[in-house]
């Protein structure tokens, strides 16, 4: 997210400065700047802009590969992960309510209407750029409770979700398959300018009233595309509403190729990128992507999908006091639907449709938001490990998804993700259960570092995971107290064993099917009976199947032992918790007894004072009676 402050002194329009990248350490309030040639100016940070606000950057600063090349080639240990980010000039507003952050100020219906209003040659250009599949997606109702529950599981140190069974994170494969955006190609970075006035007038054909503004009002962009008054009237059907929007857009857009058509296309692209792909909480649209839109033939060469993921990861790392997520939240929502279908938050539809965002819709929940979040945490703490879909895309026809085929070299790798002034690491090795490894992250052009697991076993991973995160993974209300991670360690190893049993069972079934097929061929075909190679193959399959079944039986025994150990560990933790509470209860009882004794003492002291006063009064009366008698 980017934004900025007013430049100081003079015009400053043609002057350029090099940027300063800072590395933020976990738990530190200050940042250490990477050495750069002076002069140095802070980079832009997008604040939470309210409608109508405008923002002036401190500019122009280089944000390309040159300034990052030295810093990003350093080795970083797996458990000391850093978020490379610009120095913020303004902090985002906190305490925003969830629905307002997740409700896009630019609806899908407006985007679809403009897209449908474009003449054929413009839609062809958008297809060539690679935005066609993304622009044909339907709007997805936001699952606010699911997104908030996942954000509460986010660990800003490792840039992953902390769940009972280990780390999970959306990957570049998820982005490509869910959104249809390109994840390969040039990194989305470039130059940030002090003033965008000339560029906006030249590339967008719009007048800028404030010379040093880096934001263009969304309403002005929509007006230039013919949908300024995009309002859904009461009683108006969706089809009528879309037809009216499309008609308005078609009337305002250029019908022939030329400068006016180029302006229309750039206005539409900056609207889609600034409000959907790299969406922010503010209403105006940032001009930071405008330099990349100057040459329209090169727009499709950038990895917009990777930038989307970088922007989303950066948003997840914001303060825990902030609710909601900036960025393209449907990616996070669909990722959970695909990998955690047992949560029951999504409903499948349109089987076989691509991108995958077309296959799911939100299952509406009428319960209160806080109640939904609590129930999701409970479900995450109790979901069977076998219900976690680690590889939900097996069997997909990649030939029908060229954006997926092109991205294959970037899948399953540790890599730095670029989104202008924000660069974050994608630690795929943590998802691959290799916690504690020290592997280098190469730059984007080298397609990152291929993940190779060096962990001795899954048990080593889960023990290390439980030791570090055992007290953090439980967020539900029905889980036993596990301050030292003993339960999560045993449960994690059990889940790993169950997954191994599932995988081995599939291998056994496959071997048995092959063996039956071979026996049928040998028994039914005379030529096969005379072929010694057939008998050898049958024998090899039988031996392999027997070995696999023996291993499967051993895994079942191991699973039963782990279940027994888990029950004992859980019981032991409950007993230890009770023992820890007993001294406190005894201490409270002692304090109560002492308080009662003190109260009795105070009461007795008051009685003694009253008796003393009465004795003194009696003595006085006796003295007065003696005087009278005298």
């Amino acid at each position: 997210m980017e934004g900025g402050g007013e430049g100081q002194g003079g015009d400053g329009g043609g002057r350029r400065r090099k940027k300063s990248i800072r590395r933020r350490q976990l738990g530190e309030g200050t940042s250490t700047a990477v050495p750069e040639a002076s002069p140095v100016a802070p980079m832009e940070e997008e604040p939470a802009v309210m409608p109508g606000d405008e923002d002036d950057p401190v500019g122009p600063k280089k944000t390309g590969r040159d300034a990052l090349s030295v810093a990003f080639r350093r080795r970083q240990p797996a458990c000391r992960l850093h978020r490379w980010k610009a120095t913020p000039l303004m902090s985002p507003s906190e305490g925003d309510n969830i629905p307002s952050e997740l409700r896009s100020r630019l609806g899908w219906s407006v985007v679809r209407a403009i897209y449908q209003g474009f003449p054929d040659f413009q839609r062809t250009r958008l297809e060539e750029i690679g935005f066609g599949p993304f622009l044909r997606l339907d709007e997805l109702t936001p699952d606010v409770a699911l997104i908030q529950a996942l954000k509460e599981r986010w660990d800003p140190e490792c840039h992953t979700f902390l769940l009972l069974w280990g780390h999970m994170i959306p990957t570049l494969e998820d982005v490509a398959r869910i959104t249809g955006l390109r994840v390969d190609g040039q990194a989305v970075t470039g130059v940030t300018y002090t003033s965008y006035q000339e560029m906006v007038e030249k590339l967008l054909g719009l007048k800028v009233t404030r010379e040093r503004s880096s934001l263009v009002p969304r309403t002005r962009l929509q007006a230039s595309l013919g949908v300024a008054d995009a309002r859904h009237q009461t009683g108006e059907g969706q089809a009528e509403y879309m037809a009216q929007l499309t008609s308005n857009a078609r009337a305002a857009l250029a019908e022939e190729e030329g400068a006016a058509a180029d302006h229309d296309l750039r206005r539409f692209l900056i609207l889609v990128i600034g409000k959907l792909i790299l969406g922010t909480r503010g209403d105006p649209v940032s001009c930071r992507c405008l330099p990349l839109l100057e040459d329209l033939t090169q727009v499709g060469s950038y990895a917009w999908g990777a930038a989307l993921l970088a922007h989303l990861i950066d948003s997840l790392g914001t303060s825990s006091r902030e609710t909601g997520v900036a960025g393209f939240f449907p990616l996070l929502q669909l990722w959970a639907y695909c990998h955690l279908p047992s949560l029951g938050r999504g409903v499948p539809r349109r089987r076989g449709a691509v991108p995958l965002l077309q296959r799911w819709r939100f299952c509406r929940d009428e319960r209160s938001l806080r109640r939904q979040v609590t129930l999701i945490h409970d479900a995450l703490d109790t979901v069977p490990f076998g219900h976690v879909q680690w590889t939900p895309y097996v069997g997909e026809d990649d030939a029908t998804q060229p954006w997926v085929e092109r991205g294959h070299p970037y899948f399953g790798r540790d890599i730095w993700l670029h989104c202008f002034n924000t660069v974050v690491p994608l630690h795929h090795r943590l998802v691959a259960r290799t916690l504690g490894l020290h592997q280098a992250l190469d730059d984007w052009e080298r397609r990152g570092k291929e993940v190779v697991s060096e962990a001795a076993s899954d048990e080593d991973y889960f023990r290390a995971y439980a030791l570090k995160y055992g007290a953090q993974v439980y967020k539900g209300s029905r889980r036993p107290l596990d301050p030292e991670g003993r339960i999560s360690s045993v449960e994690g190893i059990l889940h790993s064993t169950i997954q191994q049993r599932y995988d081995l069972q599939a291998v056994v079934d496959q071997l048995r099917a092959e063996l039956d097929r071979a026996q049928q061929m040998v028994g039914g075909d005379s030529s096969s009976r005379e072929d010694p190679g057939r008998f050898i193959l049958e024998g090899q399959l039988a031996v392999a199947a027997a070995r696999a079944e023996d291993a499967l039986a051993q895994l079942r025994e191991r699973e039963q032992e782990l279940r027994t150990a888990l029950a004992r560990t859980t019981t032991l933790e409950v007993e230890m918790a009770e023992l820890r509470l007993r001294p406190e209860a005894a201490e409270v009882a002692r304090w109560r007894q002492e308080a009662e004794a003190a109260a009795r003492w105070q009461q007795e002291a008051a009685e003694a004072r009253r008796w003393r006063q009465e004795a003194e009064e009696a003595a006085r009366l006796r003295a007065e009676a003696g005087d009278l008698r005298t």
Side-chain angles (χ1 to χ4, degrees):
M1 299 184 298
E2 296 188 358
E6 183 75 38
Q8 300 295 326
D11 173 67
R15 202 175 35 168
R16 297 203 174 181
R17 304 174 186 167
K18 294 186 178 179
K19 69 178 182 181
S20 169
I21 298 289
R22 295 194 176 185
R23 180 174 60 191
R24 182 174 299 168
Q25 303 284 350
L26 183 67
E28 295 179 357
T30 58
S31 301
T32 305
V34 175
E36 290 268 346
S38 34
V40 178
M43 293 168 59
E44 293 184 329
E45 173 87 1
E46 178 120 335
V49 185
M50 297 303 293
D53 289 353
E54 298 223 353
D55 169 60
D56 299 330
V58 185
K61 303 158 284 280
K62 178 84 170 170
T63 62
R65 304 175 186 85
D66 325 4
L68 305 175
S69 58
V70 177
F72 293 163
R73 286 174 184 154
R74 298 181 179 177
R75 286 179 177 265
Q76 299 294 341
C79 291
R80 291 294 300 169
L81 313 179
H82 308 289
R83 179 158 63 106
W84 297 83
K85 200 169 185 295
T87 307
L89 299 179
M90 297 178 66
S91 61
S93 62
E94 299 183 357
D96 295 333
N97 58 72
I98 300 174
S100 65
E101 292 188 0
L102 294 181
R103 183 175 60 249
S104 175
R105 293 183 180 275
L106 177 68
W108 281 97
S109 56
V110 177
V111 173
R112 289 289 297 275
I114 301 173
Y115 176 71
Q116 295 296 335
F118 271 126
D120 292 341
F121 77 90
Q122 291 282 52
R123 289 201 294 271
T124 301
R125 296 172 79 180
L126 288 169
E127 290 289 338
E128 294 172 350
I129 290 173
F131 281 13
F134 180 78
L135 294 172
R136 288 191 294 272
L137 295 175
D138 292 333
E139 185 172 7
L140 180 69
T141 303
D143 191 343
V144 182
L146 174 62
I147 295 171
Q148 184 59 29
L150 288 174
K151 182 175 181 180
E152 292 177 8
R153 300 272 179 154
W154 182 258
D155 179 44
E157 180 184 11
C158 291
H159 290 82
T160 60
F161 293 110
L162 298 179
L163 298 169
L164 180 65
W165 47 84
H167 299 90
M168 289 189 77
I169 187 176
T171 64
L172 291 175
E173 182 176 7
D174 294 311
V175 175
R177 293 187 182 276
I178 291 174
T179 69
L181 290 174
R182 181 175 183 176
V183 297
D184 64 306
Q186 301 183 59
V188 177
T189 183
V191 176
T192 302
Y193 293 89
T194 299
S195 174
Y196 285 88
Q197 179 185 13
E198 295 182 4
M199 191 171 295
V200 170
E201 293 178 355
K202 174 185 175 182
L203 301 182
L204 301 182
L206 299 177
K207 295 293 183 181
V208 179
T209 55
R210 296 185 60 184
E211 179 182 354
R212 302 177 63 81
S213 174
S214 65
L215 301 174
V216 176
R218 173 185 56 85
T219 53
R220 183 181 299 178
L221 283 172
Q222 289 186 204
S224 67
L225 296 169
V227 290
D229 300 326
R231 297 289 185 274
H232 203 148
Q233 303 298 331
T234 303
E236 185 180 25
Q238 182 66 19
E240 298 174 351
Y241 172 64
M242 287 295 298
Q244 183 62 42
L245 284 179
T246 302
S247 176
N248 293 345
R250 185 177 292 116
L253 298 172
E255 299 179 357
E256 298 179 356
E257 298 185 18
D262 291 346
H263 288 163
D264 289 342
L265 188 57
R266 291 193 187 97
R267 294 168 188 166
F268 180 64
L269 287 173
I270 196 173
L271 197 62
V272 171
I273 294 170
K275 300 308 298 179
L276 289 182
I277 297 177
L278 307 178
T280 61
R281 298 182 181 94
D283 190 55
V285 181
S286 173
C287 296
R288 58 182 175 173
C289 67
L290 195 53
L292 304 185
L293 306 181
E294 182 172 5
D295 187 354
L296 290 172
T297 62
Q298 295 297 315
V299 174
S301 65
Y302 291 98
W304 296 107
L308 180 152
L309 183 56
H311 184 63
L312 182 64
I313 290 176
D314 184 65
S315 172
L316 286 168
T318 56
S319 170
S320 60
R321 290 179 293 173
E322 292 186 28
T323 54
V325 178
F328 191 69
F329 60 84
L331 169 67
L332 191 60
Q333 192 168 325
L334 262 291
W335 172 82
Y337 291 172
C338 293
H339 290 268
L340 303 170
S342 62
L343 293 179
R345 303 297 298 183
V347 179
R349 64 169 182 173
R350 297 185 186 176
R351 187 178 302 275
V354 293
L356 299 186
L357 192 59
Q358 302 277 37
R359 297 190 189 179
W360 294 83
R361 64 179 177 85
F362 170 52
C363 181
R364 187 171 299 279
D365 194 332
E366 301 297 337
R367 289 170 292 196
S368 67
L369 178 61
R370 180 44 53 189
R371 178 60 178 163
Q372 291 183 53
V373 172
T374 301
L375 292 175
I376 293 172
H377 282 312
D378 287 337
L380 289 173
D381 287 342
T382 56
V383 62
F385 183 76
H387 293 181
V388 179
Q389 298 294 329
W390 292 98
T391 55
Y393 311 127
V394 174
E396 289 287 338
D397 184 9
D398 293 352
T400 61
Q401 305 177 70
W403 53 87
V404 173
E405 283 193 326
R406 289 196 304 265
H408 270 291
Y410 292 85
F411 297 166
R413 290 172 176 262
D414 283 347
I415 195 168
W416 290 101
L417 302 176
H418 298 250
C419 180
F420 297 103
N421 297 341
T422 301
V423 183
V424 296
L426 178 64
H427 292 287
H428 195 278
R429 66 181 179 278
L430 296 180
V431 183
R433 301 184 183 176
T434 54
L435 184 66
L437 296 184
H438 298 262
Q439 296 178 340
L441 295 176
D442 292 343
D443 56 17
W444 178 261
E445 287 77 6
R446 294 190 177 186
R447 296 176 180 173
K449 178 70 174 181
E450 187 174 4
V451 174
V452 180
S453 176
E454 298 176 5
S457 67
D458 283 348
E459 295 187 15
D460 294 338
Y461 165 82
F462 279 113
R463 287 195 182 97
Y465 183 85
L467 180 63
K468 186 172 181 64
Y469 304 113
Q472 302 178 39
V473 293
Y474 294 119
K475 298 284 186 180
S477 58
R478 297 178 294 176
R479 300 298 302 182
L481 184 65
D482 187 29
E484 298 182 6
R486 293 188 181 94
I487 296 177
S488 60
S489 178
V490 178
E491 198 161 13
I493 298 171
L494 172 61
H495 289 162
S496 176
T497 304
I498 294 174
Q499 182 65 25
Q500 293 175 21
R501 177 171 60 81
Y502 285 157
D503 296 341
L504 191 54
Q505 183 66 59
V507 172
V508 170
D509 294 342
Q510 184 179 4
L511 287 173
R512 281 298 174 190
E514 292 291 340
L515 179 59
D516 293 341
R517 192 179 300 110
Q519 290 174 343
Q520 292 174 3
M521 292 177 62
V522 172
D525 190 350
S526 59
S527 61
S528 299
R529 289 195 295 269
E530 298 173 358
D531 185 2
R534 296 286 183 179
F535 289 99
I536 295 174
L537 175 61
E538 181 182 351
Q540 291 175 343
L541 285 173
V543 171
R547 289 178 178 175
E549 287 176 345
D550 290 341
L552 185 60
Q554 294 177 6
L555 275 178
R556 289 196 179 102
E557 293 177 1
R558 172 66 169 161
E559 179 183 342
Q560 188 58 42
E561 293 173 357
L562 286 170
R563 290 186 184 278
T564 304
L566 178 61
R568 287 199 304 265
T569 304
T570 304
T571 303
L572 179 61
E573 285 295 330
V574 173
E575 292 176 354
M576 292 179 64
E578 292 178 355
L579 289 174
R580 283 191 293 267
L581 292 176
R582 284 176 187 173
E584 297 177 3
E587 189 72 12
V588 170
R590 184 174 63 83
W591 290 341
R592 184 179 295 111
Q593 292 174 358
E594 293 179 355
E596 292 174 355
R600 285 196 301 271
W601 178 84
Q602 291 177 355
Q603 185 177 0
E604 291 174 357
E607 288 290 332
R609 285 195 300 270
R610 185 171 60 84
W611 293 337
R612 187 165 52 250
Q613 291 174 357
E614 290 180 353
E616 292 175 354
E617 183 67 16
R620 185 179 63 79
L621 291 174
R622 283 195 299 269
E624 290 180 355
D627 293 341
L628 290 174
R629 283 195 299 270
T630 302

